Amino acid sequence: MKASEFVKIFGWEESKVLVNAQSLTMRQIALSTTVATVELKRLVGSHELVSDYYGLARAKEYADSKYTAPELKVALKQAIADVESCL
């Protein structure tokens, strides 16, 4: 299963729990699924970055602003694409 499909089925909160799993049980669940945990971790990070800018619409505005640093534009555009792939 692709990480984006996992997010679509279980949602962002469940994905965050799985990525940030501290208990042995949660790690075993993560290892037993066929979800690419590295990709899931990237998607959760992207979702958090977009959330830091108060959602997709405002993140897009900020990414398109001429006052935004080029490095941040690249990161935001990737994060926006990741979040949109999970909608």
Side-chain angles (χ1 to χ4, degrees):
M1 173 186 304
K2 288 185 175 183
S4 58
E5 292 173 8
F6 184 88
V7 172
K8 286 178 186 178
I9 294 170
F10 296 104
W12 287 111
E13 292 305 316
E14 195 68 31
S15 300
K16 285 181 191 178
V17 169
L18 190 60
V19 166
N20 298 322
Q22 297 295 321
S23 69
L24 181 59
T25 305
M26 287 304 292
R27 288 181 190 260
Q28 288 173 336
I29 291 170
L31 291 174
S32 67
T33 62
T34 58
V35 175
T37 54
V38 173
E39 185 182 350
L40 186 60
K41 185 180 271 191
R42 182 179 55 81
L43 288 177
V44 168
S46 293
H47 180 261
E48 290 174 347
L49 180 61
V50 168
S51 293
D52 288 345
Y53 288 93
Y54 305 104
L56 275 173
R58 294 189 82 190
K60 286 179 181 179
E61 288 175 13
Y62 200 79
D64 292 334
S65 172
K66 65 181 179 180
Y67 301 109
T68 304
E71 306 83 32
L72 184 55
K73 282 186 176 192
V74 171
L76 268 175
K77 288 183 179 187
Q78 178 62 50
I80 290 165
D82 288 344
V83 170
E84 287 178 338
S85 74
C86 296
L87 296 178

